Amino acid sequence: MNAGRRHLPWNARFGWAAVWLCLIFAFVFYATPMVWLLLAAFRDEPMLFSSGPFSLGSIEMFRTTWHNLTTYNDFQIGRWALNSAIYTIGGVCLSLIAVLPAGFVLATYDFPFRKPILVLTLVAMITPNTVVALPIFLQMQAFGLNNSYLGMIIATAFFPFGVYLAYIYYATSLPGGLIDSALIDGASRFQVFTRVALPLSKPLIALVAFFSFLANWSNYFLAFVLLTKDELYSLPIGLAVLVSSSGALGNDVASDIPINKPEAIVAALLVIAPVLLLFLISQKYVRSGTLSGAEKG
Amino acid sequence: MSSVELSDIRKSFGTVEVIAGVDLEIEEGEFVVFVGPSGSGKSTMLRILAGLEDVTSGTVAIGGNDVTYAAPSERGIAMVFQSYALYPHKSVFENIAFNLRLNKVRNAQVQTRVQEAARILKLTELLDRKPSQLSGGQRQRVAIGRAIVRNPEVFLFDEPLSNLDAALRVEMRFEIEKLHREIGATMVYVTHDQVEAMTLADRIVAFDKGRIQQIGTPLELYRNPSNLFVAGFIGSPQMNFLPARVDESGAARVDIEQSRIIDLGEREFGGSTALTLGVRPEALRLGDTGTQVEGALRIEGEILSLEHLGHVSYAHVIHGDAAPLVVQIDANTTQARGDKVTVSAAPRDIHVFDEDGFSVHERKP
Ligand SMILES: Nc1ncnc2c1ncn2[C@@H]1O[C@H](COP(=O)(O)OP(=O)(O)O)[C@@H](O)[C@H]1O
Ligand SMILES: [Mg+2]
């Protein structure tokens, strides 16, 4: 291997150098803020200002910050985290229930208005969700679902991108022969979905769940529009309100509530952590060879 | 009572007519092979039979019942696909049992029927495996097992062997033939491989451009192709074709540089003047031996190349600008490239096709 490398022609060496340069640049550019955030969580406020950007604090400092953040206002942040979990998990489940059959039907059956529905899905998908927040708000108000768990779950379950993902998956990855086979075996169209398509959808479910989770967990604007009671706040909106009301990110003299810059930093990590965790779990399923053996390969 | 009856089936995808009027009766227990080039509509025809595709017009009857609009599962058919189409998440056992499970058959009976199918197909050892752990041949066996277990009135096969390598293909061909003998069900088998068609079929249905070109036993199609398409498609190497014109005398003159008249006997050319003559490689000889008959075909040429297959050899003979003639010769031939030769054929071995490509007369075997 080494011997081979030594005899690389100059242009190949130049190629390698270019690749490494790009990688190093990307790493420095994207990873530095993350590393800083992680390290900053272990420093207290004076240290954030006095020592270098990558200096190490201590577990003690982290503990104090954590304590300040979590116990503030009678563990209010725990309540928000729970709310966030309810909205997100509820939204993910509901969107899976809606998205998978919708994508399946769009991909595998020919029915009137199929094309227009696909186009609508695409339009809905590229519409920024800030645009639909207001109509959703009005809709929820009409049904009396503002400021309720159900309303928030229904609103977050709206996930056209998921329909599109499911459509693409079923149209390209599910061999048409399997559906034909199941029909001949006597499966109804619904059974084709539940007994053949669904068991083969692990990568799709992981992908849709991941993206739906990501979209819902960090969805600030929708929660901001729909929720006005602070006991119903989700984590992002609760923390945002808390951090801004405490003035932690301003340069004014710290207020009397114990929410300062270190607390804001830990709050940010708290919001990121579940997404990272879910990504690690779901990517295993996304890459799994669920469909091998169906056809030739 | 015929097992399958197709009447004036037509099928269009958009504006493209893919099946252009097919009438066919298949007897109970018959092994019928649809053969034709890729894109000729064989699969579409089979899928119409299976109920996976709607007809644009026409009727499909199976076992005397009109099933034109029946669901696939109500037709008493089972189908084996080229791609096997096994359920990757189910074991071999559950793949075979799926139909029975859907029909809520009691577990004890599922066990016996799956075991029986597995025994016939030598799959007993593999029942716990997943499809991804099987070889191509084993997967195709499972696909066939899935068909057997349902006891269908009609088996449909869509190019079931074309994903297998050559040796396995021959082996599976025999197994399918044996299966037909053992269970005696009606089988409709689609292939583009004429060897499969010739060896398996009771009757061959030759397809081209969405139409049936000829129906008959393998030897009927081989000996008396009713048009140029069948003549060219059945037989390997292909039949040789030569353009010819009808002389005033009523004899056909081969339209090559040594233009000579050959007497094709009492044939009715139906007003055509431009003909195509067809001669199979094994009906052509090098030299004049055996064809000293009056009016025989005789062409001077030069050997362009020789193919030695071991049991037989083929000489490719060029004559003028025409496509080379393929002549079957003895494997122990002493002929060599560049030899000047005379190629000849007896009149009774010459097929004659009219302007529209139809066989001019049905020759007696
Ligand atoms: N679902 C479809 N939509 C449009 N055209 C199709 C469809 N299925 C088949 N065809 C066309 O019909 C013709 C016959 O196809 P097929 O029956 O698969 O031929 P074969 O099996 O003889 O190769 C082809 O030209 C093919 O492109
Ligand atoms: Mg086909």
Side-chain angles (χ1 to χ4, degrees):
Chain A
M1 188 72 211
N2 273 337
R5 182 71 60 82
R6 225 174 291 136
H7 295 294
L8 276 179
W10 68 270
N11 51 352
R13 275 191 235 179
F14 178 77
W16 275 107
V19 166
W20 276 106
L21 267 174
C22 289
L23 286 175
I24 289 167
F25 173 77
F27 179 78
V28 170
F29 195 83
Y30 294 108
T32 309
M34 289 302 293
V35 173
W36 180 85
L37 193 66
L38 210 63
L39 291 178
F42 291 88
R43 281 182 274 170
D44 60 12
E45 180 116 4
M47 214 184 149
L48 275 175
F49 286 100
S50 57
S51 45
F54 293 102
S55 55
L56 280 175
S58 68
I59 299 282
E60 256 338 290
M61 294 179 185
F62 175 76
R63 246 189 233 142
T64 314
T65 313
W66 179 256
H67 181 82
N68 287 343
L69 185 67
T70 52
T71 55
Y72 175 69
N73 211 356
D74 199 14
F75 294 97
Q76 196 180 32
I77 193 173
R79 178 70 190 261
W80 292 337
L82 184 67
N83 287 346
S84 257
I86 292 172
Y87 299 144
T88 310
I89 292 169
V92 167
C93 291
L94 195 61
S95 64
L96 279 175
I97 290 171
V99 152
L100 298 178
F104 178 73
V105 168
L106 283 170
T108 56
Y109 295 116
D110 210 9
F111 55 90
F113 304 114
R114 180 176 157 272
K115 280 265 164 67
I117 291 175
L118 262 178
V119 172
L120 267 179
T121 308
L122 252 160
V123 171
M125 187 178 110
I126 57 177
T127 308
N129 76 31
T130 40
V131 174
V132 290
L134 186 64
I136 287 181
F137 169 78
L138 294 172
Q139 222 173 359
M140 290 303 160
Q141 196 170 44
F143 286 107
L145 289 174
N146 278 339
N147 276 322
S148 74
Y149 284 102
L150 185 63
M152 191 58 196
I153 288 173
I154 291 176
T156 50
F158 176 72
F159 194 41
F161 176 56
V163 175
Y164 204 70
L165 265 182
Y167 163 74
I168 298 280
Y169 180 80
Y170 288 125
T172 58
S173 297
L174 189 69
L178 284 187
I179 298 172
D180 291 342
S181 226
L183 285 175
I184 286 182
D185 266 334
S188 67
R189 306 209 144 185
F190 185 67
Q191 283 171 323
V192 174
F193 176 67
T194 55
R195 310 210 28 185
V196 178
L198 210 50
L200 298 174
S201 303
K202 272 183 211 143
L204 174 67
I205 292 172
L207 216 57
V208 171
F210 175 70
F211 281 119
S212 167
F213 184 92
L214 194 65
N216 296 338
W217 181 260
S218 56
N219 191 338
Y220 173 83
F221 195 68
L222 194 66
F224 177 73
V225 171
L226 288 184
L227 306 172
T228 49
K229 296 187 181 151
D230 62 358
E231 73 265 24
L232 285 175
Y233 279 174
S234 64
L235 206 49
I237 190 160
L239 290 173
V241 169
L242 179 61
V243 168
S244 67
S245 66
S246 68
L249 294 184
N251 278 329
D252 317 329
V253 189
S255 58
D256 51 351
I257 41 177
I259 302 297
N260 294 308
K261 289 189 179 64
E263 282 75 20
I265 288 165
V266 172
L269 283 177
L270 204 59
V271 176
I272 298 171
V275 178
L276 279 178
L277 204 67
L278 192 79
F279 176 73
L280 291 177
I281 296 170
S282 59
Q283 70 151 351
K284 179 175 132 232
Y285 292 99
V286 174
R287 289 183 296 129
S288 73
T290 316
L291 281 163
S292 67
E295 303 218 311
K296 198 183 171 200
Chain B
M1 184 192 70
S2 57
S3 179
V4 175
E5 211 175 321
L6 302 170
S7 318
D8 197 23
I9 302 287
R10 286 170 191 280
K11 171 72 184 176
S12 302
F13 290 110
T15 55
V16 185
E17 189 165 55
V18 170
I19 302 292
V22 164
D23 288 284
L24 178 66
E25 283 186 25
I26 298 171
E27 299 300 322
E28 205 167 326
E30 206 178 2
F31 199 126
V32 166
V33 175
F34 292 178
V35 72
S38 159
S40 56
K42 309 176 299 288
S43 294
T44 306
M45 199 55 249
L46 202 68
R47 292 170 59 82
I48 286 173
L49 237 175
L52 293 171
E53 210 79 71
D54 298 330
V55 294
T56 305
S57 70
T59 57
V60 181
I62 295 176
N65 305 316
D66 185 338
V67 294
T68 313
Y69 299 104
S73 57
E74 296 163 354
R75 298 184 176 213
I77 51 115
M79 187 159 170
V80 177
F81 297 87
Q82 171 178 0
S83 61
Y84 320 139
L86 301 182
Y87 310 119
H89 57 298
K90 293 180 189 293
S91 65
V92 168
F93 185 98
E94 289 302 330
N95 260 281
I96 298 177
F98 190 47
N99 164 259
L100 306 175
R101 298 277 190 225
L102 288 170
N103 286 326
K104 306 232 169 355
V105 174
R106 280 187 308 115
N107 196 39
Q109 208 185 340
V110 173
Q111 292 291 338
T112 26
R113 282 168 72 176
V114 173
Q115 292 293 348
E116 170 65 8
R119 188 191 56 75
I120 294 175
L121 292 163
K122 302 190 214 93
L123 287 170
T124 311
E125 312 287 295
L126 306 175
L127 285 174
D128 293 330
R129 297 220 192 149
K130 287 283 175 65
S132 56
Q133 298 166 307
L134 302 179
S135 69
Q138 290 167 336
R139 284 181 204 179
Q140 197 51 284
R141 279 210 186 82
V142 177
I144 295 172
R146 211 162 51 171
I148 292 181
V149 78
R150 321 182 39 191
N151 258 329
E153 201 166 333
V154 184
F155 279 83
L156 308 176
F157 294 90
D158 191 354
E159 311 224 9
L161 307 185
S162 47
N163 281 348
L164 304 179
D165 60 48
L168 206 51
R169 200 147 58 207
V170 174
E171 188 189 319
M172 286 299 292
R173 206 168 74 205
F174 283 119
E175 296 211 6
I176 289 175
E177 202 236 306
K178 198 173 95 202
L179 184 72
H180 180 239
R181 258 187 285 121
E182 279 175 14
I183 58 183
T186 310
M187 295 192 172
V188 183
Y189 186 106
V190 164
T191 180
H192 65 269
D193 178 351
Q194 49 132 339
V195 177
E196 268 172 42
M198 296 293 280
T199 51
L200 285 170
D202 292 327
R203 277 196 305 160
I204 291 180
V205 179
F207 265 89
D208 190 36
K209 303 193 172 71
R211 284 199 175 79
I212 294 181
Q213 303 292 323
Q214 189 171 359
I215 306 176
T217 64
L219 287 182
E220 273 167 11
L221 264 69
Y222 189 80
R223 289 181 180 149
N224 299 316
S226 63
N227 58 35
L228 273 176
F229 167 76
V230 178
F233 195 77
I234 305 285
S236 171
Q238 233 195 0
M239 186 185 276
N240 296 292
F241 294 115
L242 296 159
R245 309 206 133 265
V246 179
D247 207 56
E248 292 85 52
S249 64
R253 191 165 60 86
V254 180
D255 209 4
I256 52 175
E257 52 186 61
Q258 305 116 319
S259 59
R260 47 167 303 149
I261 295 171
I262 56 170
D263 184 2
L264 292 168
E266 302 292 308
R267 305 201 195 200
E268 186 51 65
F269 298 135
S272 292
T273 53
L275 306 176
T276 305
L277 306 184
V279 194
R280 294 215 180 269
E282 69 268 26
L284 285 173
R285 308 215 184 311
L286 289 190
D288 279 343
T289 21
T291 56
Q292 301 292 8
V293 202
E294 185 60 27
L297 176 74
R298 219 171 271 116
I299 293 168
E300 311 291 328
E302 180 187 326
I303 295 181
L304 174 69
S305 62
L306 284 161
E307 286 180 291
H308 299 291
L309 299 189
H311 63 299
V312 76
S313 297
Y314 294 103
H316 295 246
V317 177
I318 40 166
H319 58 103
D321 296 331
L325 292 168
V326 180
V327 185
Q328 181 178 324
I329 54 177
D330 194 83
N332 302 315
T333 182
T334 53
Q335 300 282 5
R337 242 191 94 185
D339 284 1
K340 297 266 187 284
V341 290
T342 304
V343 176
S344 60
R348 66 185 156 81
D349 290 326
I350 301 173
H351 302 261
V352 184
F353 303 94
D354 67 16
E355 264 170 11
D356 302 318
F358 293 110
S359 180
V360 165
H361 86 158
E362 302 285 4
R363 290 153 15 95
K364 303 288 166 290

